[in-house]
Amino acid sequence: MPASTSESCTAPGSLGPRQRASDLDRLRNEEFDVLVIGGGVTGVGCALDAATRGLSVALVEQRDLASGTSSRSSKLIHGGLRYLEQRDFALVREALHERSVLTQTVSPHLIRPVTFLIPLTHRIWQRLYYGAGVFLYDLLAWIGKSKLPRHHHLSRRGALKLVPGLKRSSLIGGIVYSDAQVDDARHTLAVARTAARHGAAVVTSVQVTGLIFDEEADPRTVVGAELTDLESGDALRCRAKKVVNATGVWVDDIQDMAGPAGLSVRAAKGVHIVVPRDCIDSDSGIVLRTPRSVLFIIPWGAHWLIGTTDTEWDLGRAHPAASQADIDYILEHANEALERPLTEDDIVGVYAGLRPLVSGEADDTAKLSREHAVAQPVPGLISIAGGKYTTYRVMAVDTIDMVVEGLDRAVPESCTEQVTLVGSHDWDSWSNRAEELAVAHGLDPQLCTRLLWRHGSRIVDVFAIADADPALSVVLPGDLYIAAEVVHAARHEGALHLEDVLARRLRISIETEARGTDVAEAAADLMAAELGWTEAKRADEVAAWYRRVDAERAANDAPDDAAAYALRQVAVDPRGILDV
């Protein structure tokens, strides 16, 4: 078990600097039951599932938690209504069951209901066709014990009353249904912290450079990994009975270290734009059909998220870039339905992510489960690929089930369906305390509501920091976050670089027109004081953020993927990671 520190005592599952140093020592000196490679939602889900079964667990991530796909999704917890058209009823039922589990038990402080209007353009067949689909969606949700409202039909007048921002000519009526949304980056962080609370060693900025093989018994069997701490440059070896490869679009890279494998992954790029809430007059999200995909207009606090695209991506995976073509596609199809057309001037944020899709056939050791696949390409190495954010917990269960098959002792079945994440304890009570907290700490009630939705019951850790230094109660530019959250991110949430805070712990990078450049100096000062940065280090972190913002803006103006990617690569990753 990890050494006890004041960090872990004051904040459950703290991933602060002292905990990182302690966990690095564990990587060097312990043999674990499971070493998980990858700090996205699937990897941290595997770490939590294994730890709560009583296994000793280590997790390493070369960048930051949720730095890839898990912070760049549509931020929905949903069953996948479109899969019903493909008659994949089992997948939808599984996802809807997970929606209920996550919303009601596992992470209610990070997930909230959201409604969507499906505009109808044909009077009879669409109302029957889509109505039947949404009815089945609700029926499968009911079987999964959902507590979200059921769907209902609207006339054109009723639909336009709910969504006045739609063109009258764009619909003859509509159907409203319910789903849920999540702050994906913070949810992934909460899963990681919960795994740490249950004894897992969770260390970011650690890159896998090779695998360790059992040279004495079987040179094909993987028994650990060669690692490099990217913060210090130190090399280390971590031994484990089983290694889980949960690296998303990097799955093939880890498998190649062990030899040819039957399971492979291809990347599909999805782009979203972010616009202020007053750009679209609506009390509901909107679902629009396009020739190539489904376009969601999703309420996101004071903003709307609009996406996604779905295109092949065969360039470097570290920094996927959104091009002008992607943005034009989203604007064109959104504006076909909106009364007030959106323009590029309305856009305050753009983000692109890569979805890992299983493209190869797994070998005889694989367990296939619809959209995701778990395989053991060589003894000791288990790869998990594909899937969707909503079903991360099921993916983790399937993966650890394969892990325990080869262990020399009996291991309990998964219990994560009942494990509440850090921040969600006693949420029914905490969710009603915004007014009380606002009065106690001299803050705006709406700001306290946002704080609760990010931190849940662990808002007490943020306020403890602010109470110790009243200057940290100041609201940062953009009026969405307070300074204490930056300190909290470095002290308890594993943030090692300015990018970790501005892009993931807080979402300033996509929620303000300045994309965090107006916050970077102040945030860097706070992190420098907390993490002991030199003035040169602090200046480098700020400069790296400015370069990232400039590179992303330049990429967004590029005509295609190749040009956008080349411009995005100008900004060097603060950890120095490059795609090979």
Side-chain angles (χ1 to χ4, degrees):
M1 296 293 290
S4 176
T5 68
S6 59
E7 289 170 345
S8 61
C9 291
T10 57
S14 176
L15 298 177
R18 283 175 289 181
Q19 191 64 37
R20 184 176 190 274
S22 172
D23 285 345
L24 279 170
D25 285 341
R26 293 181 65 197
L27 294 182
R28 295 185 183 96
N29 299 316
E30 289 185 29
E31 181 186 34
F32 293 89
D33 291 319
V34 188
L35 169 63
V36 180
I37 305 171
V41 71
T42 305
V44 298
C46 288
L48 177 58
D49 190 89
T52 52
R53 296 195 198 193
L55 301 179
S56 59
V57 184
L59 179 143
V60 295
E61 159 60 42
Q62 65 177 351
R63 292 191 291 174
D64 182 30
L65 296 167
S67 57
T69 307
S70 294
S71 62
R72 305 179 191 187
S73 72
S74 294
K75 310 189 192 310
L76 292 176
I77 298 295
H78 64 133
L81 188 58
R82 64 189 176 93
Y83 294 116
L84 290 179
E85 287 189 295
Q86 303 167 15
R87 295 181 175 83
D88 203 339
F89 305 124
L91 174 61
V92 176
R93 185 172 68 175
E94 177 182 80
L96 288 172
H97 172 75
E98 288 303 300
R99 188 187 72 180
S100 294
V101 169
L102 300 179
T103 303
Q104 297 172 31
T105 303
V106 172
S107 46
H109 83 284
L110 291 167
I111 300 175
R112 66 203 75 178
V114 59
T115 62
F116 287 100
L117 173 73
I118 304 174
L120 302 177
T121 56
H122 295 83
R123 292 191 179 280
I124 300 176
W125 77 264
Q126 276 193 344
R127 197 173 285 280
L128 292 173
Y129 180 70
Y130 290 140
V134 177
F135 173 81
L136 179 57
Y137 195 68
D138 278 350
L139 178 62
L140 293 173
W142 176 77
I143 293 172
K145 301 181 180 179
S146 172
K147 294 183 179 179
L148 296 181
R150 306 286 175 85
H151 79 281
H152 58 277
H153 289 252
L154 294 175
S155 64
R156 174 189 278 169
R157 177 180 295 180
L160 290 174
K161 183 177 180 180
L162 180 68
V163 187
L166 287 177
K167 294 177 182 176
R168 182 177 178 82
S169 61
S170 70
L171 77 168
I172 56 89
I175 302 175
V176 177
Y177 74 96
S178 297
D179 252 321
Q181 66 178 172
V182 66
D183 187 328
D184 50 6
R186 293 205 62 85
H187 178 267
T188 299
L189 169 65
V191 179
R193 289 187 60 186
T194 308
R197 186 181 188 183
H198 285 273
V202 178
V203 191
T204 60
S205 283
V206 170
Q207 188 174 45
V208 174
T209 56
L211 298 175
I212 301 173
F213 297 89
D214 188 350
E215 299 297 342
E216 295 182 3
D218 180 0
R220 293 182 64 248
T221 299
V222 174
V223 292
E226 303 276 359
L227 310 171
T228 297
D229 177 3
L230 297 178
E231 300 302 314
S232 66
D234 293 344
L236 58 149
R237 291 164 61 89
C238 178
R239 299 188 69 86
K241 296 182 177 70
K242 293 291 182 71
V243 175
V244 170
N245 174 13
T247 53
V249 292
W250 281 272
V251 159
D252 293 357
D253 298 53
I254 301 299
Q255 288 187 153
D256 288 347
M257 295 177 182
L263 183 64
S264 61
V265 167
R266 61 184 177 87
K269 184 180 71 166
V271 173
H272 294 78
I273 64 172
V274 185
V275 301
R277 194 65 178 266
D278 59 9
C279 286
I280 302 172
D281 187 3
S282 176
D283 291 325
S284 171
I286 308 167
V287 181
L288 302 174
R289 299 297 295 261
T290 76
R292 300 205 308 262
S293 65
V294 175
L295 195 71
F296 286 94
I297 300 177
I298 307 166
W300 178 256
H303 300 83
W304 296 97
L305 307 180
I306 309 177
T308 181
T309 61
D310 186 8
T311 56
E312 292 286 335
W313 179 265
D314 57 6
L315 300 168
R317 294 152 295 171
H319 304 297
S323 69
Q324 184 70 57
D326 297 318
I327 295 170
D328 287 346
Y329 175 86
I330 294 172
L331 289 176
E332 175 189 352
H333 290 289
N335 286 337
E336 288 177 357
L338 296 176
E339 181 68 26
R340 177 237 194 241
L342 299 172
T343 69
E344 288 189 42
D345 291 339
D346 294 316
I347 298 172
V348 297
V350 180
Y351 64 94
L354 299 179
R355 183 186 176 197
L357 303 174
V358 179
S359 61
E361 293 185 2
D363 57 26
D364 292 340
T365 66
K367 176 181 179 182
L368 297 175
S369 178
R370 294 172 287 279
E371 273 211 324
H372 71 268
V374 184
Q376 187 166 217
V378 298
L381 178 65
I382 292 92
S383 294
I384 168 68
K388 55 188 292 185
Y389 197 106
T390 302
T391 56
Y392 81 91
R393 197 193 62 81
V394 175
M395 295 162 65
V397 172
D398 288 348
T399 304
I400 303 306
D401 281 349
M402 184 172 284
V403 166
V404 302
E405 286 177 5
L407 296 182
D408 57 1
R409 67 183 189 276
V411 177
E413 293 184 354
S414 174
C415 63
T416 51
E417 193 166 320
Q418 289 82 41
V419 175
T420 300
L421 300 187
V422 168
S424 278
H425 295 276
D426 200 21
W427 176 239
D428 286 343
S429 170
W430 280 98
S431 63
N432 297 317
R433 297 183 62 183
E435 293 281 351
E436 171 194 339
L437 293 169
V439 171
H441 297 278
L443 296 172
D444 181 80
Q446 289 188 348
L447 191 146
C448 284
T449 297
R450 291 193 292 267
L451 278 167
L452 281 166
W453 278 108
R454 285 194 295 276
H455 301 279
S457 59
R458 300 319 306 176
I459 195 173
V460 296
D461 302 323
V462 178
F463 282 141
I465 293 170
D467 291 345
D469 181 357
L472 297 179
S473 292
V474 65
V475 180
L476 298 172
D479 299 329
L480 297 172
Y481 306 94
I482 63 173
E485 290 183 271
V486 177
V487 176
H488 182 264
R491 186 175 298 178
H492 296 305
E493 296 181 340
L496 299 175
H497 294 273
L498 182 60
E499 176 186 289
D500 302 345
V501 172
L502 299 184
R504 287 174 290 277
R505 305 305 183 278
L506 317 183
R507 307 310 292 270
I508 291 175
S509 63
I510 63 169
E511 291 181 329
T512 65
E513 188 173 359
R515 301 196 184 186
T517 55
D518 55 347
V519 180
E521 295 280 355
D525 286 342
L526 295 167
M527 293 189 73
E530 184 67 25
L531 298 177
W533 289 350
T534 64
E535 180 54 37
K537 167 70 171 173
R538 178 206 165 282
D540 286 345
E541 289 285 329
V542 173
W545 182 256
Y546 289 162
R547 285 194 299 270
R548 169 181 162 147
V549 171
D550 289 343
E552 287 181 339
R553 284 176 168 157
N556 297 162
D557 291 333
D560 53 39
D561 282 352
Y565 177 70
L567 290 166
R568 177 61 180 85
Q569 292 303 99
V570 172
V572 178
D573 188 285
R575 292 171 170 85
I577 294 176
L578 299 174
D579 256 34
V580 178

